[in-house]
Amino acid sequence: MTTLIHEARQAPGDVDWALFGQRYWDNQPARLRARPPVGLDQVHALTVQSCAPFRAGTRFWVMPDVRLLVGDGWLRAPGTRLPDTTDRTLDDYLDRLDADTSGRGYLLTVRQPLLLDFAMWSAVREAIRGLWRAVGWPNLPVLAEVLIGDRFTQHVGAAEAPTHAALTWVLHGRMDVRLWDERHGPPPSAIADPDHDLDGVRTMSADAGELLYWPGDQRHVDTYRERCVALRLRIPVDRRLPFTTLRDLLADLVHGRQGNDETVPYFPFGPGSRVDEQGGVLPHLTALGDELRAVVDGEALRRMLRVRWAALRSAGGLEPIPVPREGVPMTGQTRVRRSSEIVRMPDGPDHEVWAVNGNVFTLPRAAGDRVFAALGDGEESGVAEVCRAIGGEEKSVLALLDKLYRLRGIDVIEVPAR
């Protein structure tokens, strides 16, 4: 029997994240009316920019990651079937793709495109800030995806064990999602078939202007109706994921203690060697265990985790982050205004970490207090005023303000002529 998903009754607009956290988060799927954080034109421009390097063929281990599936196959060299600057609108591109694919269904996925556009990255971060305040801030990166599909059913979400919750804003068209609770075992083979009414299979659909949510214990099958465009955030919730990240951090730290030796360690073993003799297998393994124990007990791991958390907190989980912008000339007469949240975290007895839009750097704590107070909370400040408040040399203050400007922590109100 198909179970209908709970629909939150609310007016179109921003989501009441506090209420959402109480009723739905980590509890049950939901469909809500919600204003999307980005528009179709923005998504099209971002998709064109993301796809440009992939027109020559598939690229691996890069972000954004672009994949085009047509019919039953993944196109390894999509070429002109990807959008480009000649497609003035998303509809222009989809018209061209329809003709090129002879009416077959398709799905274009773009993973982590937000790193290319700070305005969109910031808008999405702002849209979900209320959620993090209600349920807690993520300690692992949130995966953002642009999904553009037409008459296509994607089964990957049902084939893999779920590890992420999902928020999906439908920007255009319609999407149907079939859900299966992982706690009930593997999903039935007919989970994607809407004509099969199956016990335990939940169904929800969303049109443009609606938001779909499901917790991290749900396998899912997505069906994209005609010209469906969506923005999805995949939020890590599986308890095993932080330990995987910690394992990788520990491996990097142990490797660094060993001088970054790139050779593969081969341990002597066989006739004429003893496992426990000097240079044998056991001393090598014991030494490795000692290195690991020293890292776990050391301050380097704690500091790395503090810095990592501060960066994620200031990014709202949206990593990777956009690159810093170009600097502008500043003098004592320049006026600035703080434009982004600055996350501050102690870093030893005399210093603190500052995190701005996912970027981190350290300052002496006393100087940090004075800088933070001098910049205020959105008020205009003159560079000369900041210098006097800090009591430092103008050159060092200008260097700090230049860093904050490049990281988009402050905006310049007046740029003096050169």
Side-chain angles (χ1 to χ4, degrees), residues 16 84 110 128 215 225-226 241 251 304 314 319 321 362 377 392 404 416:
D16 183 341
D84 63 24
V110 185
I128 57 173
R225 301 304 179 186
E226 187 172 350
L241 296 176
M304 181 180 289
S314 67
E319 291 192 351
I321 60 176
T362 59
D377 188 13
L404 286 171

Side-chain angles (χ1 to χ4, degrees), residues 320-396:
I321 60 176
V323 298
R325 61 184 170 184
E326 295 294 325
V328 297
M330 283 188 272
T331 69
Q333 288 71 48
T334 305
R335 300 194 65 77
V336 298
R337 176 188 293 122
R338 185 155 68 88
S339 55
S340 292
E341 180 188 25
I342 297 174
V343 176
R344 303 169 65 188
M345 180 172 291
D347 187 34
D350 301 319
H351 287 76
E352 63 183 14
V353 170
W354 277 30
V356 184
N357 295 318
N359 303 275
V360 292
F361 59 94
T362 59
L363 282 176
R365 180 173 297 176
D369 289 338
R370 293 194 292 269
V371 173
F372 195 80
L375 291 176
D377 188 13
E379 303 90 358
E380 286 189 26
S381 304
V383 170
E385 299 169 25
V386 177
C387 289
R388 286 194 295 269
I390 298 174
E393 296 183 359
E394 182 174 293
K395 183 178 180 180
S396 61

Side-chain angles (χ1 to χ4, degrees), residues 106-108 147-151 224-229:
Y106 53 79
L107 174 63
L108 175 63
L147 306 165
I148 302 174
D150 186 281
R151 296 157 293 153
Y224 299 84
R225 301 304 179 186
E226 187 172 350
R227 297 198 171 187
C228 177
V229 182

Side-chain angles (χ1 to χ4, degrees), residues 401-415:
L401 293 179
D402 177 67
K403 180 190 291 288
L404 286 171
Y405 176 81
R406 291 173 184 269
L407 302 183
R408 302 180 179 90
I410 61 172
D411 284 333
V412 170
I413 308 305
E414 299 176 9
V415 181

